[in-house]
Amino acid sequence: MKALLLSFGLGLLAALQAQAIPTIPTMEEDQDVTGIWYLKATASDKKIPHMKLGSVSVMPMTIKALEGGNLQVKFTFLIAGQCREMSTVLEKTDQPDKYTLYEGKQVLHIIPSEVEGHYIFYYEGSIHGHRLQMANLVGRDPDINQEALEDFQNAVKARGLNAENIFIPTQRETCPLGSN
């Protein structure tokens, strides 16, 4: 269960690799990704249990700028009636869209979507010896934007992930009482 939560949580932080998909613009140095974000869709190269319609709820994610260009990401999600809070620091690299986690063992790319106010997050790394790739669509508001979802589907296909496995989590503003 811990591996599932860790892989899902890290996937929430993911960013889509710009070099592999030249049609997606790279993040500019001056683009501001701080603030409140909503996870709208996710896709993975592995089947993740509990990722069925309505089985996972997510709360808004907060991204805060830290010294040296690093980012702090905090989010909460509800799986099987249990709230899980996660926080991690994304360490800036020499590429504007690339960050690392856990002493460089995992890589994240933050790529602007073709649709304003949306980004595609892509994560690559190993969790307990298993390679994992996960892409996520995030936006500034909780509503699903069909154009952004189509852009995400195209990016997922271009990266070699199965677009048929795209999962859309339930949005919540807070974790329900008694679900800790």
Side-chain angles (χ1 to χ4, degrees):
M1 181 69 167
K2 282 186 178 183
L4 165 68
L5 294 174
L6 183 59
S7 64
F8 180 72
L10 291 173
L12 294 175
L13 305 173
L16 191 54
Q17 186 173 7
Q19 299 87 339
I21 305 174
T23 60
I24 295 178
T26 59
M27 190 169 85
E28 301 295 326
E29 285 283 348
D30 61 349
Q31 285 185 295
D32 184 13
V33 295
T34 61
I36 304 292
W37 292 93
Y38 295 86
L39 176 67
K40 297 185 177 199
T42 188
S44 173
D45 64 341
K46 306 266 190 280
K47 273 261 196 233
I48 298 179
H50 304 316
M51 284 208 170
K52 295 177 259 183
L53 187 61
S55 65
V56 176
S57 296
V58 293
M59 279 42 75
M61 169 177 28
T62 304
I63 300 178
K64 178 181 171 184
L66 301 175
E67 239 178 81
N70 295 337
L71 300 172
Q72 179 183 44
V73 180
K74 291 183 179 183
F75 57 94
T76 303
F77 53 96
L78 178 69
I79 296 180
Q82 298 291 313
C83 285
R84 305 289 182 187
E85 291 184 16
M86 293 197 72
S87 178
T88 192
V89 173
L90 305 180
E91 299 165 356
K92 182 179 165 65
T93 67
D94 58 352
Q95 296 176 24
D97 70 331
K98 183 178 177 182
Y99 295 84
T100 60
L101 291 99
Y102 307 112
E103 299 169 355
K105 295 177 184 168
Q106 297 166 359
V107 177
L108 301 156
H109 293 269
I110 301 176
I111 309 301
S113 168
E114 294 292 327
V115 179
E116 187 176 338
H118 291 79
Y119 282 83
I120 298 170
F121 287 10
Y122 178 73
Y123 163 83
E124 282 184 307
S126 291
I127 297 175
H128 302 294
H130 299 279
R131 297 280 312 149
L132 178 68
Q133 295 176 350
M134 189 173 257
N136 299 281
L137 174 65
V138 299
R140 291 285 188 187
D141 63 71
D143 299 326
I144 296 292
N145 177 305
Q146 198 59 39
E147 187 180 348
L149 188 56
E150 288 173 18
D151 183 47
F152 180 67
Q153 289 171 329
N154 292 335
V156 163
K157 288 177 190 175
R159 187 64 184 129
L161 302 176
N162 187 348
E164 292 178 18
N165 289 338
I166 291 175
F167 171 75
I168 299 174
T170 302
Q171 297 291 328
R172 294 182 181 263
E173 283 299 319
T174 60
C175 220
L177 293 174
S179 55
N180 291 330

